[in-house]
Amino acid sequence: MPDLLLELFSEEIPARMQAKAADDLRRMVTDKLVAEGLVYEGAKAFATPRRLALTVHGIPARQPDLKTERRGPKVGAPDAAVQGFLKATGLKSLEEAKIQRDPKGDFYIGLIEKPGRDAIDVLAEILPVIIRTFPWPKSMRWGARSGKPGSLSWVRPLHAITATFGLETEEPDIVKFEVDGIETGQTTYGHRFLAPAAINVRRFEDYEAKLLAGKVVLDPERRKDAILTDAKQLAFAQGFELVEDQNLLDEVAGLVEWPVVLMGSFEPEFLATPGEVIRATIRNNQKCFVVSDPKTGKLANKFILVANIEATDGGKTIIAGNERVIRARLSDAKFFYETDLKTKLEGRLPKFEQIVFHEKLGTQATRIKRIERLAAEIAPLVGADVAKATRAAHLAKADLLTEVVGEFPEVQGLMGKYYALAQGEDASVAAACEEHYKPQGPADRVPTDPVSVAVALADKIDTLVGFWAIDEKPTGSKDPYALRRAALGVIRIVLEQSDRISLTPIFQAAIALHIMRGSDATFEDIVRVVRNPTPNPTFLRKSGSIAADNLVSLIGDLLAFFADRLKVQLREQGARHDLVDAVFALGGQDDLLMIVRRVEALGKFLDSDDGKNLLAGTKRASNILSIEEKKDKRTFDGAPDAALYSLAEEKALAKAIGEVKAEASAAVAKEDFAAAMSAMAKLRPPVDAFFDKVRVNDDDPKVRENRLKLLNEIRSATRAVADFSKIQD
Amino acid sequence: MDASLPAHMRPERSFQGFILALQRFWAEQGCVILQPYDMEMGAGTFHPATTLRALGPKPWNAAYVQPSRRPKDGRYGENPNRMQHYYQFQVIMKPSPPNLQELYLKSLAAIGIDSAVHDIRFVEDDWESPTLGAWGLGWECWCDGMEVSQFTYFQQVAGFECAPVAGELTYGLERLAMYVQGVDRVYDLNFNGREGDAKVTYGDVFLQAEREYSKHNFEVADTAMLFEQFKMAETACRKYLDAGWKDGKREAHLMALPAYDQCIKASHVFNLLDARGVISVTERQSYILRVRELAKACGEAWIHTEAGGAA
């Protein structure tokens, strides 16, 4: 079966857009082919800076013929209906129609045959539409045609379209179409500088080979492999190690058609600047790799660049040029770094009074004050020194205003640490300047130093509470303030540190700090009211940012958000999310570590036979109860009457419930969830025996009521560990 | 490169020779070679030959040097390549010719940059000028890792769609010349291509000015006067625009250029105020917006003039 070759040859396509564009091209063309009944065997798309290319092989030469039946009017229907039917089906007369017998009356059936078209004609129809509607993130118009409406938009000016279709053994045909004055053909061009001449191509195989001869490596993966291999070798040959960087590799591979890897160097004096700053300078500004000394792990005074040409002087000029630029950039960076060192971090803080964090949440300066106070509240809970935590929170954001961070935002935090150390801060305080941002994502590590933990939690919880208070919660895919990440960060820090923290009091403190901004009351006064809301204290009403009447629901809502995040987190670790629900449903659960321990114990218990059966028994009890409750329109709360027990199984169950409840509650109080589950296990035999031998709906209404109350007791006994009704089978 | 040139005129020897080579190259491509606009501005794009001529249907090909004033970039002559005054070489071609990239590469060859030994790259760079209400797509052009030019296909200027689209090239002249001459400090550039006593450097011409203007821009510029000047320029711009509508009807405009001068003025005064640090972050946005409103109004007037393509 024939193959399609399509190439869209343009001016330089931004590196970051290439991979998605290749993928979009493949998807759009193949989807259309399938929709047109042309089921292909395989497709692959490629991108270089100057071209998008697609090969689809094994396309049928023709569409299959389509036969459809169309139901017409009843036999004997008025002439207008018959004429309409003939027109719609293209039949000449009713003689050509079939008649279908039907109990409701006989109908005419028209058989429409739509002969399949040649695939090349279908392609000529669909390809221009795809080109015109191609989803570039940003596209542009150009040239004389852009003076008229409806001119083509492309990522950068499009110059040529190669489109051929045919069998391997034959000379392929050109898929003839035209887009905004560009007619398809089979001419492309090699490397801009090394082989600019026109190349005549037939099909994908010779296309790829001729491009290679024309110094163009079509496949981005091959370019990446070549760059990585050469870069590693070049570094290794000189006794260094390449500092690998996947994002940079992806980008660089999108900037060259013919990668040539070269190594340059810079003055060793620059190595006095922090390695991260050197790397950021060389990487962001120059798109070059850095190398390290394998013995020390520290950066070496070398860099690796990827050129797009084989220069006639072997690359000497290119290396020298890049060295000049990198030298200038590094001396800027060094200058920034040294300038930064001249100002103490706290000296930068007044500027934060001019910087708005969020219109409704005040300036960065007020935010820093809140974090300081909140970190002081949290410090004792995580074993951190209060003074150090306060100091760290005071300084942690200051590096945002330094020259280096202004230039390279990705080293925020890290620079704070360097500057804090340079001005003689305590090591924990300095570390917190960097670590309080962590974890930045699921792969990032969490802080471990208690001072960092206190500031990290304070920073994140202040953000969460603040945005919750002004009702800027994440919705669907929108989470502009990264609140999900912040909550997940809190969860991971608490769990990985095994910290015992009740979130509610911290949320309350954070809320109080937000309220303080619009109030003249003291923190202590506000916190007292937040913790025991009395109706409408005046200073709550004065507060600008917080909807004071919703304090309780705000905390509940935020805890539910944490529960959701925790579910996601546990699910990723393979735990059952319904167990999280079963534990949260108990209410008052705001100690993440205890929740997780309970979920773990519950999970283990439910994996055992005792657990499974007890769950089944409890569910059975619940089902019976809900049916009977509905029937009687009442609940069966309250203690059963021991005098009404007539069967041994009833008595045994009642006794077991009493014992298990006491034992499980005691174990839960000691936070020994495994013991609580073992206690629960003792409930299983009497529950099973009860359902075996006892008829709940006894004829005596009093006995029935008593037995239903007993069932209710099973349900309430299990609530010592979890709400079993939330557990899925 | 023209081998017949005397040594002191060669682009790799002399800054002025370098500029002349570029002018000659673009003159040969059919551009009118203009002289700098006689007003202070932050970039060659502000020149009416670019901003206004980019609008409307009429073809337009021009090239010129434009002194660019960036008060905040002054470093008292102490930074090797940052200055509050430098030269841009600007090319505008409307509609953008299909071979504009090739022309650009040839222009590099004309100033001594040989693509057989230099690594020339087009790296994505979307251009946007909030003050001009303009944007376009294109690249930073890199030579051996150094950004040497800006290449933009204008999509919108002064809030109006460009139809047809103009291609704009901006060369950072000092930076390119430093590379070609092989000097690391801009003030060491050989300006006139002569040697010995006859040699004049870039420093000889501009170093004193950099020191003086840095002091002026950062320390002394009269902010009360500047605030007043901003208001005056803004008011004058509006006044000229209003007065320019022929017969008071919004069909033809007779004074777009003088009005636009006031917009340029306002923009530069704002830059000076910004350098003096007397404009807060929030105010900054509102000043930019005010200049943009002027630019948009001028653009609207321009498309109602003869050169702007009004019938």
Side-chain angles (χ1 to χ4, degrees):
Chain A
M1 281 194 281
D3 303 341
L4 167 72
L5 166 67
L6 176 68
E7 186 205 57
L8 301 159
F9 180 80
S10 68
E11 297 179 13
E12 277 75 355
I13 306 168
R16 67 188 170 93
M17 298 178 188
Q18 291 167 17
K20 184 176 177 293
D23 205 47
D24 285 340
L25 183 64
R26 183 190 49 75
R27 185 180 45 78
M28 289 172 89
V29 172
T30 55
D31 282 1
K32 261 290 191 226
L33 284 173
V34 172
E36 291 288 342
L38 293 166
V39 179
Y40 61 97
E41 282 168 8
K44 203 157 187 243
F46 306 90
T48 79
R50 294 172 82 202
R51 59 201 93 220
L52 283 184
L54 171 70
T55 166
V56 184
H57 65 269
I59 303 175
R62 268 176 73 85
Q63 284 176 315
D65 297 340
L66 274 183
K67 283 182 191 168
T68 48
E69 288 190 340
R70 188 186 172 106
R71 194 170 137 130
K74 275 185 189 175
V75 173
D79 190 52
V82 171
Q83 290 309 319
F85 170 64
L86 291 177
K87 200 173 167 198
T89 53
L91 301 183
K92 287 193 190 80
S93 71
L94 283 178
E95 325 251 287
E96 291 176 9
K98 282 198 303 185
I99 292 172
Q100 192 172 48
R101 307 231 167 261
D102 192 289
K104 288 183 204 155
D106 297 345
F107 286 89
Y108 289 111
I109 296 285
L111 191 66
I112 309 171
E113 281 188 48
K114 197 179 156 206
R117 288 188 300 154
D118 285 340
I120 194 167
D121 296 334
V122 176
L123 282 166
E125 199 174 278
I126 63 179
L127 294 180
V129 177
I130 289 169
I131 292 168
R132 283 202 172 267
T133 58
F134 200 78
W136 290 109
K138 264 187 185 174
S139 60
M140 53 161 278
R141 299 166 297 116
W142 66 93
R145 285 180 171 259
S146 61
K148 303 206 173 63
S151 65
L152 177 64
S153 257
W154 198 247
V155 63
R156 292 294 184 277
L158 180 64
H159 283 281
I161 303 172
T162 293
T164 68
F165 186 70
L167 288 166
E168 200 173 342
T169 46
E170 289 165 10
E171 195 59 32
D173 293 316
I174 291 171
V175 183
K176 285 215 160 103
F177 62 92
E178 173 264 316
V179 181
D180 211 31
I182 306 165
E183 279 179 25
T184 51
Q186 52 192 126
T187 304
T188 185
Y189 304 86
H191 188 280
R192 184 187 278 289
F193 301 109
L194 300 172
I199 303 172
N200 195 265
V201 295
R202 295 171 57 245
R203 39 184 296 104
F204 182 71
E205 288 70 20
D206 74 311
Y207 166 74
E208 195 179 22
K210 282 175 181 165
L211 278 186
L212 196 63
K215 306 284 185 192
V216 174
V217 180
L218 179 66
D219 187 342
E221 293 307 319
R222 278 189 63 183
R223 293 198 300 274
K224 283 183 216 172
D225 286 349
I227 294 167
L228 190 60
T229 310
D230 290 359
K232 278 185 181 167
Q233 267 175 12
L234 199 54
F236 180 75
Q238 306 225 13
F240 301 115
E241 202 166 58
L242 176 75
V243 177
E244 288 190 41
D245 186 331
Q246 186 62 44
N247 290 339
L248 180 61
L249 180 62
D250 290 345
E251 184 179 6
V252 167
L255 289 171
V256 293
E257 291 201 310
W258 190 253
V260 175
V261 178
L262 300 166
M263 185 184 263
S265 45
F266 52 86
E267 286 68 15
E269 293 87 83
F270 288 121
L271 292 173
T273 315
E276 293 85 352
V277 176
I278 295 178
R279 185 176 171 192
T281 306
I282 291 181
R283 175 214 149 97
N284 298 13
N285 293 326
Q286 296 312 124
K287 309 199 195 297
C288 293
F289 294 88
V290 289
V291 302
S292 64
D293 180 338
K295 277 175 245 120
T296 60
K298 291 197 171 147
L299 288 191
N301 64 322
K302 302 276 171 189
F303 65 91
I304 287 181
L305 73 99
V306 183
N308 189 33
I309 60 161
E310 276 168 2
T312 49
D313 65 354
K316 251 190 247 157
T317 309
I318 296 174
I319 292 172
N322 275 275
E323 284 176 343
R324 271 172 63 103
V325 188
I326 280 184
R327 195 179 307 131
R329 294 283 195 180
L330 287 178
S331 63
D332 278 352
K334 180 165 171 276
F335 176 76
F336 291 150
Y337 178 62
E338 285 167 358
T339 309
D340 284 348
L341 285 173
K342 287 181 194 151
T343 308
K344 289 208 161 189
L345 287 172
E346 52 266 61
R348 302 183 184 278
L349 296 176
K351 258 204 171 166
F352 281 124
E353 281 159 28
Q354 313 295 322
I355 299 172
V356 175
F357 170 66
H358 183 285
E359 188 195 348
K360 290 184 182 164
L361 296 175
T363 63
Q364 278 280 19
T366 59
R367 175 168 141 79
I368 290 168
K369 285 208 186 84
R370 286 197 304 269
I371 297 174
E372 273 178 61
R373 186 58 202 256
L374 197 56
E377 294 283 312
I378 296 172
L381 307 174
V382 297
D385 181 274
V386 173
K388 285 184 191 173
T390 312
R391 177 75 181 158
H394 186 62
L395 299 179
K397 302 289 180 194
D399 72 340
L400 290 175
L401 296 176
T402 60
E403 302 274 345
V404 170
V405 175
E407 193 74 11
F408 308 111
E410 74 266 36
V411 292
Q412 78 172 23
L414 182 76
M415 295 320 293
K417 180 178 83 176
Y418 283 125
Y419 298 142
L421 286 174
Q423 68 181 48
E425 297 294 333
D426 177 88
S428 289
V429 170
C433 291
E434 178 184 17
E435 306 248 300
H436 81 282
Y437 287 112
K438 293 180 180 294
Q440 297 271 28
D444 198 14
R445 64 190 170 81
V446 301
T448 52
D449 184 302
V451 174
S452 298
V453 168
V455 182
L457 290 176
D459 185 17
K460 292 172 175 65
I461 290 173
D462 175 74
T463 306
L464 284 160
V465 165
F467 284 106
W468 238 256
I470 59 168
D471 206 20
E472 288 273 4
K473 304 168 201 172
T475 49
S477 61
K478 281 198 197 114
D479 184 9
Y481 305 107
L483 301 179
R484 290 193 182 106
R485 191 172 78 189
L488 192 59
V490 171
I491 291 170
R492 282 188 55 205
I493 292 171
V494 170
L495 294 184
E496 288 180 37
Q497 289 303 302
S498 299
D499 280 323
R500 294 293 314 278
I501 292 176
S502 278
L503 291 175
T504 309
I506 300 178
F507 289 171
Q508 287 164 336
I511 290 172
L513 289 165
H514 275 281
I515 290 173
M516 266 179 84
R517 193 163 65 86
S519 153
D520 38 20
T522 65
F523 174 67
E524 286 73 18
D525 281 344
I526 301 175
V527 152
R528 205 173 308 123
V529 177
V530 170
R531 291 196 171 143
N532 297 294
T534 50
N536 296 325
T538 45
F539 60 79
L540 281 189
R541 264 182 284 131
K542 259 199 270 170
S543 159
S545 59
I546 302 263
D549 18 339
N550 305 327
L551 287 180
V552 180
S553 69
L554 190 155
I555 290 173
D557 204 28
L558 193 51
L559 280 175
F561 181 68
F562 270 80
D564 278 345
R565 293 295 99 203
L566 183 61
K567 272 196 267 182
V568 173
Q569 166 83 355
L570 291 179
R571 190 162 47 205
E572 272 164 20
Q573 292 169 6
R576 288 169 53 178
H577 64 93
D578 56 330
L579 303 189
V580 180
D581 283 333
V583 173
F584 259 100
L586 294 176
Q589 299 294 318
D590 70 345
D591 182 327
L592 295 165
L593 191 65
M594 288 304 106
I595 293 166
V596 170
R597 297 243 167 104
R598 204 186 272 248
V599 166
E600 282 165 4
L602 186 59
K604 271 192 200 140
F605 178 56
L606 291 173
D607 283 341
S608 71
D609 275 350
D610 281 343
K612 280 183 197 129
N613 282 303
L614 182 63
L615 177 63
T618 312
K619 292 228 156 170
R620 192 164 161 195
S622 293
N623 289 342
I624 295 171
L625 269 170
S626 68
I627 293 169
E628 301 307 317
E629 281 171 348
K630 221 179 260 168
K631 221 185 268 170
D632 291 19
K633 300 196 171 63
R634 58 161 289 195
T635 59
F636 295 94
D637 298 335
D641 182 353
L644 288 169
Y645 297 145
S646 54
L647 299 171
E649 287 77 8
E650 277 181 285
K651 286 177 199 152
L653 177 59
K655 185 162 164 270
I657 289 173
E659 286 167 11
V660 165
K661 242 190 184 172
E663 205 179 316
S665 305
V668 167
K670 279 190 279 173
E671 294 167 358
D672 186 348
F673 298 111
M677 297 303 163
S678 309
M680 281 293 142
K682 291 183 193 161
L683 211 48
R684 179 205 161 182
V687 168
D688 288 355
F690 179 85
F691 282 122
D692 259 4
K693 300 283 189 256
V694 181
R695 194 163 70 95
V696 175
N697 283 321
D698 194 83
D699 297 333
D700 179 345
K702 278 197 179 148
V703 172
R704 170 175 172 267
E705 179 185 339
N706 207 50
R707 287 180 179 164
L708 286 167
K709 282 183 173 171
L710 192 56
L711 288 185
N712 193 45
E713 286 291 290
I714 299 178
R715 198 162 59 172
S716 77
T718 54
R719 284 184 66 91
V721 293
D723 182 343
F724 276 44
S725 70
K726 302 278 182 196
I727 300 173
Q728 289 161 13
D729 296 321
Chain B
M1 238 191 320
D2 188 346
S4 67
L5 284 174
H8 65 272
M9 291 300 285
R10 296 230 171 119
E12 77 279 15
R13 296 280 295 271
S14 113
F15 187 55
Q16 63 203 34
F18 185 89
I19 293 174
L20 291 169
L22 272 180
Q23 289 186 333
R24 188 165 167 185
F25 175 85
W26 287 104
E28 277 163 13
Q29 311 310 319
C31 288
V32 294
I33 303 300
L34 301 174
Q35 300 307 313
Y37 203 60
D38 57 344
M39 290 187 73
E40 300 135 308
M41 54 182 69
T45 309
F46 270 88
H47 195 307
T50 293
T51 307
L52 296 181
R53 294 273 182 179
L55 290 173
K58 294 194 175 168
W60 174 249
N61 300 305
Y64 53 89
V65 173
Q66 180 61 44
S68 301
R69 303 249 198 167
R70 307 237 167 130
K72 253 187 162 170
D73 284 352
R75 293 294 182 271
Y76 296 83
E78 279 161 22
N79 185 289
N81 49 27
R82 235 172 226 242
M83 295 165 291
Q84 56 83 43
H85 170 288
Y86 69 102
Y87 285 132
Q88 286 188 342
F89 190 85
Q90 177 88 2
V91 179
I92 175 153
M93 301 189 92
K94 180 176 82 171
S96 64
N99 60 343
L100 188 55
Q101 274 188 315
E102 279 152 49
L103 293 178
Y104 169 70
L105 293 170
K106 280 187 189 162
S107 77
L108 290 186
I111 50 176
I113 295 180
D114 175 5
S115 63
V117 290
H118 290 284
D119 184 25
I120 299 163
R121 228 82 74 70
F122 294 92
V123 180
E124 176 190 16
D125 191 34
D126 301 343
W127 174 80
E128 193 181 357
S129 167
T131 22
L132 285 177
W135 70 276
L137 298 188
W139 309 273
E140 303 175 350
C141 306
W142 285 25
C143 174
D144 304 332
M146 178 172 65
E147 185 194 341
V148 293
S149 312
Q150 191 76 40
F151 190 132
T152 308
Y153 291 101
F154 280 158
Q155 302 296 300
Q156 215 180 61
V157 172
F160 292 91
E161 291 286 309
C162 298
V165 162
E168 182 213 41
L169 303 172
T170 305
Y171 303 72
L173 283 177
E174 286 84 350
R175 195 188 280 198
L176 257 171
M178 280 163 72
Y179 193 49
V180 173
Q181 288 192 23
V183 301
D184 286 328
R185 191 170 161 267
V186 65
Y187 302 109
D188 295 336
L189 276 175
N190 188 333
F191 208 108
N192 63 350
R194 308 283 174 167
E195 296 302 329
D197 288 349
K199 175 174 165 179
V200 177
T201 67
Y202 194 90
D204 294 333
V205 182
F206 284 121
L207 184 55
Q208 182 185 331
E210 277 305 309
R211 289 182 185 135
E212 293 186 0
Y213 277 103
S214 293
K215 187 175 173 64
H216 164 266
N217 299 342
F218 290 124
E219 302 168 38
V220 187
D222 185 338
T223 54
M225 175 194 78
L226 291 169
F227 276 121
E228 204 50 43
Q229 283 185 347
F230 185 91
K231 270 187 249 158
M232 289 166 77
E234 189 182 32
T235 312
C237 181
R238 298 263 175 224
K239 187 173 168 185
Y240 304 161
L241 285 171
D242 283 346
W245 293 108
K246 191 180 170 195
D247 307 326
K249 284 182 280 185
R250 293 179 83 86
E251 285 163 6
H253 203 280
L254 305 173
M255 234 168 19
L257 287 163
Y260 180 66
D261 282 354
Q262 297 304 315
C263 171
I264 296 174
K265 179 95 189 157
S267 172
H268 177 64
V269 168
F270 160 72
N271 287 340
L272 282 169
L273 286 166
D274 199 24
R276 288 282 276 122
V278 292
I279 291 182
S280 76
V281 184
T282 26
E283 278 176 318
R284 206 169 177 275
Q285 256 332 91
S286 103
Y287 272 96
I288 289 174
L289 203 69
R290 281 161 75 179
V291 178
R292 174 160 71 220
E293 289 312 312
L294 296 182
K296 281 185 170 180
C298 292
E300 197 197 352
W302 171 260
I303 56 177
H304 290 87
T305 65
E306 195 187 324

